[in-house]
Amino acid sequence: MIDERVFFDMLASSWDTTRLADARKISELVALAGLGQGEKVLDAGSGTGILLPFIKKAIGSAGSITAVDFSANMLDKAKEKYDSLGNINFIVADIMEFVPEGAMDAVICFNFFPHIKDKQQFLNLVHNYLQVGGMLVIMHDISRQQVNAIHQGSQVVKDDRLVSGETLRKWLIVAGYQVTEVLDADDRYFIKAVKAG
Ligand SMILES: C[S@@+](CC[C@H](N)C(=O)[O-])C[C@H]1O[C@@H](n2cnc3c(N)ncnc32)[C@H](O)[C@@H]1O
């Protein structure tokens, strides 16, 4: 069987036509995150960069984005579409091996968290490079049940499960976060956690 990096490389050319983005819902999710002007944001598992213009709008021209993905093909698409927005650093890397230069104000995982193999370790890593008061947001623009049903249909990602909001809340607390929002709804999933001082 192919590994997940190759799997996503193969999906990159058709991603934007098969994965139809609902701009209204994405705007609502980004608004709920409450990003501020001038912030430094990591878009983890950025893919073809669907989230990038929404983040950019929220943080303005003084803000900066680091878009990380281990699929070079995905990130090539993101760069082709959004490099011109400015202040975006595109980095091909496994998120488990990535360490940003300087602390982040926010880390956003959009339709990405289930693909991380060692989730508790990831929560710890992000906690290390977040500013005090910085946020980790884990969000999906479809329900947990839909995410798991889609993954179930693929040999490659069938084990990449999205856990309930309450389970994730417990994992975040173990990693030292303060959980400020848990929304595990029938059309979206949104968890926000803050690195307390
Ligand atoms: C389902 S896609 C979501 C992409 C984008 N955020 C979106 O919503 O369209 C998940 C992305 O995570 C990337 N990915 C999966 N595991 C990764 C890892 N360990 N490190 C970095 N990127 C990873 C894949 O290459 C893919 O582009």
Side-chain angles (χ1 to χ4, degrees):
M1 199 184 13
I2 57 170
D3 71 17
E4 281 199 29
R5 192 189 55 74
V6 174
F7 173 77
F8 282 112
D9 262 346
M10 286 165 50
L11 288 180
S13 59
S14 60
W15 190 258
D16 287 348
T17 45
T18 52
R19 184 224 180 287
L20 295 173
D22 177 342
R24 184 188 51 82
K25 204 189 283 182
I26 299 173
S27 296
E28 287 169 7
L29 290 168
V30 172
L32 199 53
L35 296 171
Q37 290 284 313
E39 287 191 339
K40 262 180 89 171
V41 181
L42 169 63
D43 180 17
S46 188
T48 60
I50 284 171
L51 197 60
L52 295 173
F54 297 89
I55 299 175
K56 188 71 190 173
K57 194 172 171 199
I59 63 176
S61 54
S64 66
I65 307 173
T66 304
V68 172
D69 202 291
F70 70 3
S71 159
N73 290 356
M74 283 281 193
L75 220 50
D76 279 350
K77 289 265 166 209
K79 192 167 184 178
E80 195 179 293
K81 291 189 294 177
Y82 296 124
D83 201 20
S84 59
L85 291 177
N87 264 355
I88 305 179
N89 201 6
F90 297 88
I91 299 179
V92 177
D94 188 318
I95 201 69
M96 302 305 286
E97 284 155 23
F98 171 74
V99 181
E101 280 173 27
M104 287 285 158
D105 296 306
V107 175
I108 304 194
C109 300
F110 181 47
N111 299 322
F112 170 58
F113 189 69
H115 300 299
I116 297 165
K117 303 303 170 218
D118 189 341
K119 295 180 174 62
Q120 193 72 57
Q121 175 63 10
F122 172 75
L123 300 180
N124 293 337
L125 282 173
V126 171
H127 196 268
N128 285 341
Y129 56 69
L130 270 181
Q131 297 272 17
V132 171
M135 69 174 95
L136 168 62
V137 173
I138 294 169
M139 63 188 206
H140 292 260
D141 57 351
I142 53 178
S143 71
R144 171 165 54 91
Q145 290 76 9
Q146 285 173 296
V147 171
N148 289 334
I150 292 167
H151 290 179
Q152 192 72 46
S154 156
Q155 271 309 307
V156 182
V157 298
K158 68 176 172 14
D159 296 326
D160 297 357
R161 312 283 299 170
L162 183 57
V163 295
S164 73
E166 287 311 314
T167 296
L168 184 48
R169 182 203 295 274
K170 288 184 193 133
W171 293 353
L172 285 159
I173 291 169
V174 168
Y177 296 85
Q178 196 178 321
V179 180
T180 60
E181 186 84 43
V182 175
L183 188 60
D184 188 351
D186 60 8
D187 73 333
R188 66 194 67 191
Y189 182 97
F190 181 95
I191 315 282
K192 177 173 170 178
V194 172
K195 176 171 174 172

